[in-house]
Amino acid sequence: MRRRSAERFVPRLFERGWLPLLSWHQIAELMQHGNDGLVDMRLRYLRGWPMAAWVKGGVPNVIPGSELDVLRAEVRAAYTRPELDVLGVRDIARSDLLSYGTGLEAVPDSLSNWRILRLFLAEHQAHAQKVAVISPWRAIEIENTRIADWLDKPHRDNEATAATLVKVRAHLKKEIVERGDKRIASPAHMAADFMSDVAANVELAISEGLSEPLPVRILLRAGLEPDEINFAATFRETMAMVMFRQRLRMASDAENLPWEEVKEIVTPDRVPSAFTHECMRTYAHDQPERKGSDVNDLSLLCLAPYATETFVDKRTLESVRRAKQKVPRLAELLGSVRKAASYHDITAACPQR
């Protein structure tokens, strides 16, 4: 009876005038189960849907699109319509972002060969676990210090620098053990790999021998232009801009837009997914266990501006509630976001339209 009820879930939504919205992030999550037969069954289930909506991908009829495709549509809209705010950009992007059709069209035949993606999916999951635990971590409290405050700091010699890196790596390992996803195989290796990357970037910045102070050289290597560095800005504000610029460059290149114009016109407060990311990064609840799945949940939350109803788990809903209280504009952007323990809750919340 439960199986028959589940089989009727999506047809019943369709009859009431509702369509589920799919993206690559849901598909990838379904594929990460260890039982291959169950993954095949899940994909067959999606292909049996009478109708669905999905994010357009970069290559049509291959896989549903991802958050990058959402970002591309938003950047294109923000660039071509510079007078629009974040809500206006959302409305323009929506018209060019979604596709509609049967489950067979939403989940094409190419996905039956999903096993060739196994290594990619494992790497993606490991990366999400790393991002989830390290992104909120701070070795020292520098979030609210200004970039200018770091310009006159004396350089440490190699021995002192090495000793500091050892201490920071030990601190990070402890953080991963206590707060990281419990599926992380080796906190020690994760901490060592991350700190090796940090040390390599610092060494490259030093070896370039430029006249700028070391903090400025590091920011230049991260992608900022010299005239874009605001010395009065805090470390947190500056790193938020660095992360946005990196994602913006990917979207701009994918859309073949002129970068020099894009970076002047497209600001993070006008891009719905970037605005959502920043609000959640600033105000979301820092969970006792930072799960890798939280990264995927945030990508899915970036679909909320393009859906009528968004259903999330308890963890995500609490973070959304906190962020909406701090940023009322986020509530306008995301619309209705609710908790759903099962598909029964969704059916009850979606009446006849």
Side-chain angles (χ1 to χ4, degrees), residues 79-320:
Y79 171 72
T80 57
R81 298 288 299 276
E83 78 279 7
L84 296 178
D85 64 4
V86 67
L87 301 181
V89 168
R90 173 200 62 189
D91 295 341
I92 296 297
R94 181 191 283 123
S95 63
D96 194 37
L97 183 63
L98 304 181
S99 292
Y100 305 89
T102 66
L104 287 171
E105 294 172 296
V107 186
D109 286 332
S110 57
L111 283 174
S112 62
N113 299 318
W114 67 270
R115 287 167 179 80
I116 65 176
L117 300 174
R118 197 189 305 273
L119 179 59
F120 164 77
L121 291 169
E123 291 175 347
H124 177 75
Q125 187 176 53
H127 180 70
Q129 293 169 353
K130 179 179 178 180
V131 170
V133 67
I134 295 180
S135 290
W137 168 73
R138 297 291 178 266
I140 53 176
E141 293 299 327
I142 62 173
E143 291 277 84
N144 296 317
T145 59
R146 299 177 308 142
I147 297 300
D149 297 335
W150 292 86
L151 297 183
D152 58 354
K153 298 288 184 182
H155 293 318
R156 300 183 180 185
D157 58 35
N158 292 340
E159 185 176 341
T161 299
T164 299
L165 289 175
V166 169
K167 290 181 180 178
V168 173
R169 185 175 64 190
H171 185 282
L172 177 57
K173 177 187 172 183
K174 181 174 182 289
E175 183 89 354
I176 296 172
V177 169
E178 294 178 353
R179 305 290 301 278
D181 195 311
K182 301 308 178 189
R183 296 170 295 177
I184 294 174
S186 174
H189 286 161
M190 181 178 285
D193 288 345
F194 178 78
M195 292 308 301
S196 294
D197 290 342
V198 171
N201 283 328
V202 172
E203 287 177 7
L204 283 172
I206 294 173
S207 66
E208 288 173 342
L210 300 177
S211 59
E212 290 87 353
L214 181 59
V216 173
R217 280 181 260 169
I218 292 173
L219 292 176
L220 294 176
R221 287 192 56 79
L224 293 184
E225 299 293 334
D227 60 348
E228 296 173 337
I229 299 175
N230 179 3
F231 296 108
T234 65
F235 179 82
R236 182 194 169 285
E237 292 167 341
T238 304
M239 294 313 298
M241 178 56 70
V242 167
M243 289 187 289
F244 172 70
R245 280 294 176 81
Q246 290 173 346
R247 299 177 74 242
L248 181 64
R249 187 62 185 259
M250 286 192 296
S252 176
D253 289 348
E255 291 294 309
N256 294 314
L257 298 175
W259 172 241
E260 292 300 322
E261 294 180 22
V262 168
K263 68 180 184 179
E264 292 296 325
I265 295 172
V266 183
T267 53
D269 60 315
R270 298 180 58 233
V271 179
S273 59
F275 186 73
T276 301
H277 266 274
E278 181 58 18
C279 290
M280 296 298 286
R281 189 172 81 93
T282 305
Y283 300 113
H285 178 43
D286 187 8
Q287 301 284 350
E289 180 184 354
R290 299 170 184 155
K291 297 182 178 180
S293 59
D294 292 341
V295 176
N296 204 47
D297 289 344
L298 180 53
S299 294
L300 288 169
L301 187 64
C302 290
L303 299 182
Y306 307 100
T308 306
E309 296 282 350
T310 302
F311 296 91
V312 298
D313 61 12
K314 184 178 179 180
R315 287 165 61 100
T316 305
L317 183 63
E318 174 59 19
S319 291
V320 170

Side-chain angles (χ1 to χ4, degrees), residues 20-39:
L21 175 57
L22 280 174
S23 71
W24 165 249
H25 302 289
Q26 290 120 319
I27 303 293
E29 200 164 81
L30 294 179
M31 290 178 176
Q32 289 175 7
H33 197 281
N35 184 326
D36 286 10
L38 183 58
V39 173

